[in-house]
Amino acid sequence: MPFVSTRQATKLTGLSTAKLREWTSRRALIPADVPPKAQGSPAQYSWQTILLLRLAVTLRERFHLELQAHCEIFRSLRCNLQEKSFLALWGKLLALHGEECWSLLDAEDIPELAEDVLLIRLDPHLEVLATRFPMPHPFSAPGQLDLYPIQSVSGRRAQTTPAHHTSDATARQTALRRKSA
């Protein structure tokens, strides 16, 4: 999982370095994923933590909420976000129902709400992360095998003919039969 340093986290969240340290260390509202190893070394943050920090900034600046009172919501949300994929969050809204209760809703679920809630759209925050957070290259993910290795495909282009494709397919089928036998 890729992490960003304190410097990058300040750019992604809009927080000053002092405020980021206050929220992640001193007040421990949303702790860093990898705390600093020594004084002066940077902490490390995952995309989930940056998303939580961006949501906290929205709650504080837009709605003037006291964040310390919602510390349990941040802990619960953090655990839940670690189980969700980045793509699964698109089109979702964070609904804050009250003291320690929250949910992730689809846009279609809004008319069905039976109580007052505070809704925060996740898409604007995800867009910032998608464009500015360093995500791993899909071909370099550990444990991930390429379906069609680029080297072998590009190497064949110069010498392939329809007959060559047939012989390659036949050779692969024969090799698979031998393995299964």
Side-chain angles (χ1 to χ4, degrees):
M1 174 185 290
F3 293 106
V4 295
S5 66
T6 301
R7 179 181 294 176
Q8 293 164 310
T10 59
K11 292 176 184 173
L12 290 166
T13 60
L15 293 169
S16 67
T17 304
K19 184 64 81 175
L20 180 66
R21 285 188 185 131
E22 179 185 339
W23 286 11
T24 60
S25 298
R26 284 178 245 145
R27 290 175 59 190
L29 288 171
I30 303 167
D33 294 286
V34 179
K37 294 179 181 173
Q39 188 173 4
S41 67
Q44 300 289 312
Y45 303 90
S46 67
W47 69 264
Q48 293 98 332
T49 303
I50 297 295
L51 178 60
L52 278 176
L53 287 165
R54 288 184 59 84
L55 295 172
V57 168
T58 301
L59 292 171
R60 178 76 175 152
E61 291 180 2
R62 180 106 191 256
F63 299 105
H64 306 286
L65 295 179
E66 176 54 46
L67 299 179
Q68 198 69 42
H70 302 286
C71 200
E72 284 303 315
I73 287 177
F74 293 128
R75 282 192 202 120
S76 176
L77 252 171
R78 183 181 193 139
C79 290
N80 189 275
L81 286 176
Q82 289 175 346
E83 298 170 0
K84 299 240 184 256
S85 76
F86 187 80
L87 297 176
L89 295 173
W90 285 95
K92 300 283 185 191
L93 301 163
L94 173 63
L96 300 175
H97 299 275
E99 296 182 24
E100 295 179 15
C101 189
W102 63 270
S103 60
L104 290 175
L105 304 173
D106 289 317
E108 308 84 58
D109 295 338
I110 294 173
E112 298 175 19
L113 295 173
E115 60 182 357
D116 293 331
V117 296
L118 177 62
L119 296 174
I120 300 174
R121 295 178 308 123
L122 295 183
D123 285 359
H125 303 286
L126 295 172
E127 285 175 18
V128 168
L129 292 176
T131 57
R132 296 188 203 157
F133 194 92
M135 298 289 186
H137 191 274
F139 298 114
S140 65
Q144 179 68 41
L145 300 175
D146 296 335
L147 185 57
Y148 299 103
I150 292 173
Q151 294 170 338
S152 64
V153 171
S154 63
R156 284 188 191 168
R157 283 189 182 156
Q159 57 186 358
T160 57
T161 62
H164 187 70
H165 284 292
T166 306
S167 64
D168 277 354
T170 306
R172 278 185 291 221
Q173 289 175 354
T174 305
L176 286 174
R177 282 190 214 122
R178 286 182 188 159
K179 283 184 182 179
S180 62

